[in-house]
Amino acid sequence: MPNYRYDPASVLENSSALLYWDLTIITDGYITANRPYIVLVDRSVRRAIIVDITIPHDDNLVKAEKEKVSKYLDLAHEITAMWNVESTVIVPIVVSANGLLAKSFDQHLKKLSLGCWIKSRIQKAVVLETARIVRRFLTLEP
């Protein structure tokens, strides 16, 4: 099934992992940034991973990556305290609208235990979506 047709469940769980997809994380204290795209709890190593995805313009690649990390710091601390995990890692997935990747992209894939094979698929998906948006805009009549 193509990735653009996949509609994941909000919560997936098995004996070793818990995955939240686009779900508000309820916390003890008030946190404004509490809805990342993905939160994965690896029970075997007692670690949580917050994954958030953004597709900025080429000029804002590094800035967007830093913003994603700082945006979810409070949530990461809350998750570590509330869910009895040893650590919470924030992994920003940042691909520019033209498919450019930050230098740190490979490091982020390693944190997710994903190989470099997925880079080209991510880039392709982003570029195709950008082309679709441009095509739709150009067909608008005044």
Side-chain angles (χ1 to χ4, degrees), residues 30-110:
Y30 177 74
I31 295 179
T32 55
N34 63 352
R35 192 179 179 116
Y37 282 110
I38 301 167
V39 177
L40 174 66
V41 179
D42 186 344
R43 293 176 175 149
S44 61
V45 292
R46 294 185 55 225
R47 181 177 74 165
I49 302 171
I50 297 172
V51 180
D52 207 44
I53 303 162
T54 189
I55 303 171
H57 188 271
D58 295 351
D59 299 341
N60 296 330
L61 203 62
V62 175
K63 179 182 171 191
E65 187 175 46
K66 288 178 183 177
E67 285 175 356
K68 287 294 179 187
V69 172
S70 64
K71 177 181 178 180
Y72 288 109
L73 279 176
D74 290 339
L75 182 61
H77 292 298
E78 279 289 312
I79 286 174
T80 303
M82 290 182 351
W83 292 356
N84 193 27
V85 292
E86 290 181 8
S87 65
T88 302
V89 179
I90 303 167
V91 180
I93 300 297
V94 182
V95 182
S96 82
N98 294 320
L100 296 176
L101 303 172
K103 290 180 182 179
S104 57
F105 194 82
D106 288 342
Q107 294 168 326
H108 296 313
L109 290 181
K110 285 180 185 176

